[in-house]
Amino acid sequence: MTPEELQKVAIIEQESQEQYDHRIHVCMAAGCLSNRADLVKQQLEKQIAANGLERRCTVKGVGCMGLCAAGPLVSIQPKGIMYQEVKPTDAPDIIQTLDKAPIERLRCDTAMPFFKEQKKVVLENCGLIDPERVEEYIAVGGYQGLLKALTEMQPAEVIEEVTRSGLRGRGGAGFPTGLKWSTVAKAQHPDGRKFVICNADEGDPGAFMDRSVLESDPHRILEGMAIAAYAVGATQGYLYVRAEYPLAVKRLKQAIRQAERLALLGNNIFGTPFSFNVDIRLGAGAFVCGEETALIASIEGKRGQPRPRPPFPAESGLWGCPTLINNVETFANIPPILRNGGEWFAQIGTEKSKGTKVFALAGRVKNTGLIEVPMGIPLRRIIFDIGGGIPDGRKFKAVQTGGPSGGCLPERFLDMPVDYESLMQAGSIMGSGGMIVMDDTSCMVDVARYFMEFCMSESCGKCVPCRVGTAQMHDLLVKIIEKRATDSDVRLLNELCDMVQSTSLCGLGQTAPNPVLSTLRYFPEEYEALVQAGREREAAGSNGSAMHVAPQLKPNSTQPQAHVDSEVTP
Amino acid sequence: MTRPSVPKPAGVAQPQVVTLRIDGRDVSARSDETILSVARQNRIDIPTLCYLDGLSGWGACRLCLVDIKGTPKLLPACVTLVREGMEVTTDSPRLQKYRRMVLELLFSERNHVCSVCVSNGKCELQAMAQRLGMTHVSLPYRYPRLEFDSSNDLFRMDHNRCILCTRCVRVCDEIEGAHTWDCRGRGIETRIISDLNEPWGESSTCTRCGKCVNVCPTGALSQKGTAVAEMTKRVTFLPYLTLMRNSDEP
């Protein structure tokens, strides 16, 4: 493909879109699809055919529109009307009112803060283009970044542009992307081989940012990876996707095939000497394989276990070759940075955290779904403006960010800006972007226990602190919840947290104590209440009335609502 | 002269001589050596369990963690290469505390009752606990009831004594070349298995060489016919084997 041909594909696609008076977008991402958006789309197509509107209307499946709580979502372009909770039986009404006033009962208010407060960079195409057609991606400026990099820039200039943008890794740790790229670019290997890996092994409970991007805009990731490969000097890329994302895998496979057919991947891309191929590798359900060295071991066909670093993958990664590993969202930021320049990107966000961040807003908020906000926005605006606040008139209690590696932040942090440093200082982490809101019915000790159970069962079992330490901490938390704990158990829990944090081999173990440490720090009264209950029980027990107390002890529940509300709720 | 325990970093053709400081002593070393090997050459002994001279480094027991000035994280000496100007601390109250806790975790993980163990008195875990001054286990014992595989006619495997150091896995793969052993499961459920989780006696790959039994630091792998405190392990074969193999290489 030549640059002119790319232009031509874009123009043809734009014209074919514009010939329709109404373009009906049906969200076909996993959330809406599980609410049977596919049936809605089918019915809409049927109605168009029945009314003979094929020449004036088109229906297309698009990626995630964000407001997953109100799915299935349908939007009508170019009018910009959005309908929520659409059922297949609503199809006749929607088609009939295309030229008239919109249906009020289905109307989704696009002027509400959920839509207005967001800034879309990574998700700019989500909900607008059909992820299964490369032409639509090209029509909205897709592959222009790659074209610019290959034809107008040297690899070093690409890295410089990324460095200038101030982009930091979106996988959680926030390592400067430009620095990582230049390390890989400088690294040498006798074979001369280098690799680019996209980490799409998203596994935090309640997080679905990467999945949405992969399902809604797969070509964006391929373009980002190709640009990265050009910058660091790699010719082979791997997309490591978890097998639990079948739709994302299907769309990625399709996207790779389409890109290869148009010679946007393969040999001599855009007639330059640059060649790049991408293959998919499926994860087999291990959370730890999101850790870069475990991910590499998994691609190599070994047991998915991390190894000590250094050497870092940038020096010695896949099959001992220098390897660049970035998260899905990091790669998704690359094409717009190349198209619009690093300075444009650096204008968004705060001094140290540039750009936007995608969050999967979940838990006790009205508007659960996928959001993208500029870095530095206060938590309050995310939860109460965009999220719409806490439902059922309950009170906000805590927000959990960063998944099992993160922490729970109480109300007093609501006005804290969301960026890497602030979250870290408060005892949580940015993580990959999971954000779980909890109301006053949640027991924080049980939340800590839930995440510890997750870490315990996802520990790979290689190093002692993580393998045995997480199990011991989990047992101690259960003991506290069951009101059997004493003060020495809490002390032991604290000691274990410190030890597991300092001595574990990889990030999973090093961050596993975070949910416990943050709840111990911000909600000590809940631990205290449970230990006090244990003390009283013991005192009662020694008086020979243990039988009287025993029925109150319930077995540990897996529900977020714990059995201690009445004593703990302030 | 043992095989390097970590892959050589790319681009380093010729190892260079570097000087560093370990526990306040200036020492010199080759840049492809690990902190552990340099320390031991200089008679500074860092405790280890999963490490064994002659096998590849694993970095999992975390006993050999050392403090390196300017590095926020503690790093395992067995797989971390020396660097010019490094300042290493191998012993401190903090490291001692963590090392004792590692041992406590290991003792609490499975059944390590010494008085009824074939390796009593000859056990590396036991000796390490004595050396590091672990006087008691403050964590609750988990005591899972695990299998005992005595299907092999020469040896037996007691999972209750296993600390998952994977020395058996590595010696079988790297020295014997059979790769009979590996791990299954994850986290606290991890177990050593032979072949595809079949009884050891039915393994089609096992050569019955006994290397795994001899490198096992505890009583998990032992010879049949031994009773309490009768199992003596001999690991001296390993340096000779690796030395001979290295000298074969061009």
Side-chain angles (χ1 to χ4, degrees), chain B residues 152 168-169 171-173 176-183 192-200 202-208 212:
Chain B
N152 191 303
C168 54
V169 177
V171 80
C172 188
D173 176 43
E176 180 63 9
H179 202 132
T180 300
W181 298 112
D182 215 320
C183 301
I192 298 288
I193 52 167
S194 53
D195 285 356
L196 297 169
N197 201 11
E198 293 149 77
W200 191 4
E202 289 166 28
S203 165
S204 54
T205 57
C206 176
T207 61
R208 298 156 85 226
C212 52

Side-chain angles (χ1 to χ4, degrees), chain A residues 150-268:
Chain A
L150 292 186
T151 55
E152 295 170 28
M153 299 164 91
Q154 293 295 317
E157 290 173 318
V158 176
I159 295 176
E160 205 170 295
E161 197 70 61
V162 174
T163 310
R164 202 175 301 137
S165 76
L167 176 65
R168 293 169 66 177
R170 297 294 193 243
F175 191 79
T177 308
L179 186 58
K180 197 187 246 186
W181 287 26
S182 63
T183 313
V184 181
K186 274 183 217 139
Q188 297 293 328
H189 189 264
D191 294 357
R193 288 194 302 172
K194 288 181 189 176
F195 296 98
V196 169
I197 296 176
C198 174
N199 184 349
D201 193 56
E202 181 179 53
D204 289 0
F208 49 91
M209 303 75 53
D210 295 350
R211 191 196 68 203
S212 296
V213 176
L214 295 170
E215 284 175 0
S216 310
D217 202 0
H219 283 282
R220 187 182 198 80
I221 308 302
L222 299 181
E223 187 184 354
M225 286 177 75
I227 294 168
Y230 174 71
V232 303
T235 55
Q236 173 69 46
Y238 289 101
L239 255 160
Y240 190 88
V241 195
R242 64 195 300 225
E244 291 89 336
Y245 286 173
L247 185 63
V249 173
K250 181 188 146 216
R251 289 188 177 157
L252 280 170
K253 279 186 180 161
Q254 217 167 7
I256 291 173
R257 228 178 8 253
Q258 289 168 347
E260 282 171 347
R261 201 171 297 148
L262 292 181
L264 295 164
L265 286 177
N267 293 335
N268 302 97

Side-chain angles (χ1 to χ4, degrees), chain A residues 478-497:
Chain A
V478 169
K479 206 172 163 189
I480 293 172
I481 290 173
E482 290 178 354
K483 301 174 192 169
R484 292 186 287 115
T486 58
D487 291 318
S488 67
D489 288 318
V490 179
R491 220 170 19 245
L492 196 57
L493 183 65
N494 265 308
E495 270 178 39
L496 272 174
C497 282

Side-chain angles (χ1 to χ4, degrees), chain A residues 156-419:
Chain A
E157 290 173 318
V158 176
I159 295 176
E160 205 170 295
E161 197 70 61
V162 174
T163 310
R164 202 175 301 137
S165 76
L167 176 65
R168 293 169 66 177
R170 297 294 193 243
F175 191 79
T177 308
L179 186 58
K180 197 187 246 186
W181 287 26
S182 63
T183 313
V184 181
K186 274 183 217 139
Q188 297 293 328
H189 189 264
D191 294 357
R193 288 194 302 172
K194 288 181 189 176
F195 296 98
V196 169
I197 296 176
C198 174
N199 184 349
D201 193 56
E202 181 179 53
D204 289 0
F208 49 91
M209 303 75 53
D210 295 350
R211 191 196 68 203
S212 296
V213 176
L214 295 170
E215 284 175 0
S216 310
D217 202 0
H219 283 282
R220 187 182 198 80
I221 308 302
L222 299 181
E223 187 184 354
M225 286 177 75
I227 294 168
Y230 174 71
V232 303
T235 55
Q236 173 69 46
Y238 289 101
L239 255 160
Y240 190 88
V241 195
R242 64 195 300 225
E244 291 89 336
Y245 286 173
L247 185 63
V249 173
K250 181 188 146 216
R251 289 188 177 157
L252 280 170
K253 279 186 180 161
Q254 217 167 7
I256 291 173
R257 228 178 8 253
Q258 289 168 347
E260 282 171 347
R261 201 171 297 148
L262 292 181
L264 295 164
L265 286 177
N267 293 335
N268 302 97
I269 300 169
F270 292 123
T272 63
F274 174 67
S275 303
F276 184 60
N277 288 295
V278 177
D279 284 311
I280 294 180
R281 289 289 177 273
L282 294 187
F287 176 70
V288 74
C289 285
E291 199 279 342
E292 55 184 14
T293 56
L295 190 153
I296 287 172
S298 175
I299 293 182
E300 288 174 349
K302 297 178 188 149
R303 184 175 155 88
Q305 282 182 328
R307 61 155 178 80
R309 302 173 303 180
F312 287 88
E315 292 161 345
S316 174
L318 191 59
W319 292 300
C321 302
T323 304
L324 174 73
I325 301 193
N326 275 139
N327 170 263
V328 169
E329 203 186 321
T330 314
F331 280 125
N333 271 306
I334 299 299
I337 289 176
L338 266 277
R339 273 202 314 269
N340 306 328
E343 265 122 38
W344 162 81
F345 189 83
Q347 284 167 6
I348 314 167
T350 65
E351 195 198 331
K352 283 190 174 163
S353 306
K354 304 289 185 196
T356 59
K357 180 79 194 84
V358 183
F359 287 103
L361 200 52
R364 302 289 288 158
V365 274
K366 281 185 191 135
N367 303 328
T368 53
L370 192 70
I371 59 161
E372 183 172 2
V373 289
M375 292 273 193
I377 186 173
L379 275 168
R380 190 185 294 280
R381 269 175 63 199
I382 296 182
I383 296 164
F384 288 93
D385 294 349
I386 298 176
I390 317 295
D392 308 328
R394 310 279 333 186
K395 212 169 148 294
F396 170 87
K397 185 170 189 182
V399 55
Q400 210 278 346
T401 67
S405 308
C408 300
L409 302 179
E411 197 172 0
R412 70 180 139 113
F413 286 100
L414 275 178
D415 292 307
M416 184 186 78
V418 173
D419 59 51

Side-chain angles (χ1 to χ4, degrees), chain B:
Chain B
M1 268 302 286
T2 55
R3 49 188 279 153
S5 49
V6 275
K8 283 181 187 156
V12 179
Q14 218 51 49
Q16 313 196 322
V17 174
V18 297
T19 51
L20 65 153
R21 186 175 277 229
I22 304 179
D23 288 347
R25 274 166 61 187
D26 289 317
V27 297
S28 67
R30 280 202 331 260
S31 58
D32 62 349
E33 287 180 293
T34 63
I35 296 175
L36 180 70
S37 89
V38 175
R40 287 194 174 165
Q41 284 162 33
N42 289 282
R43 295 176 191 280
I44 299 168
D45 198 13
I46 302 171
T48 57
L49 261 183
C50 70
Y51 175 82
L52 192 61
D53 207 5
L55 299 180
S56 63
W58 189 236
C61 74
R62 318 307 281 172
L63 281 180
C64 71
L65 285 182
V66 291
D67 212 338
I68 297 167
K69 202 176 169 188
T71 310
K73 284 173 186 160
L74 304 173
L75 291 176
C78 66
V79 291
T80 308
L81 296 180
V82 293
R83 270 197 330 268
E84 177 66 43
M86 222 177 205
E87 275 184 55
V88 184
T89 308
T90 69
D91 203 7
S92 68
R94 178 169 175 238
L95 287 172
Q96 281 174 13
K97 188 180 99 188
Y98 289 156
R99 284 173 187 157
R100 270 198 297 272
M101 279 184 92
V102 166
L103 289 176
E104 284 188 39
L105 286 170
L106 280 176
F107 274 98
S108 75
E109 183 185 14
R110 293 188 184 179
N111 187 325
H112 293 286
V113 180
C114 300
S115 57
V116 291
C117 178
V118 287
S119 288
N120 189 7
K122 293 146 184 146
C123 170
E124 287 186 45
L125 181 66
Q126 190 184 38
M128 191 57 76
Q130 282 164 357
R131 177 181 156 190
L132 298 183
M134 191 199 87
T135 51
H136 63 284
V137 177
S138 51
L139 297 155
Y141 290 105
R142 298 178 61 85
Y143 284 158
R145 285 182 166 272
L146 302 183
E147 280 179 8
F148 192 101
D149 185 349
S150 55
S151 58
N152 191 303
D153 52 1
L154 294 178
F155 314 111
R156 57 196 166 200
M157 166 76 186
D158 183 358
H159 290 279
N160 294 292
R161 308 278 197 232
C162 176
I163 58 167
L164 294 167
C165 66
T166 71
R167 281 187 190 179
C168 54
V169 177
R170 285 174 285 154
V171 80
C172 188
D173 176 43
E174 295 166 13
I175 306 295
E176 180 63 9
H179 202 132
T180 300
W181 298 112
D182 215 320
C183 301
R184 73 147 172 85
R186 59 180 181 231
I188 198 81
E189 302 295 326
T190 310
R191 305 277 181 276
I192 298 288
I193 52 167
S194 53
D195 285 356
L196 297 169
N197 201 11
E198 293 149 77
W200 191 4
E202 289 166 28
S203 165
S204 54
T205 57
C206 176
T207 61
R208 298 156 85 226
C209 70
K211 289 191 180 70
C212 52
V213 177
N214 279 302
V215 298
C216 176
T218 68
L221 288 167
S222 59
Q223 207 150 9
K224 278 190 172 172
T226 49
V228 172
E230 287 182 0
M231 182 66 217
T232 310
K233 309 273 173 106
R234 292 178 198 84
V235 291
T236 40
F237 71 94
L238 208 49
Y240 291 111
L241 270 182
T242 43
L243 180 67
M244 285 189 313
R245 289 188 189 183
N246 282 345
S247 61
D248 282 351
E249 284 169 16

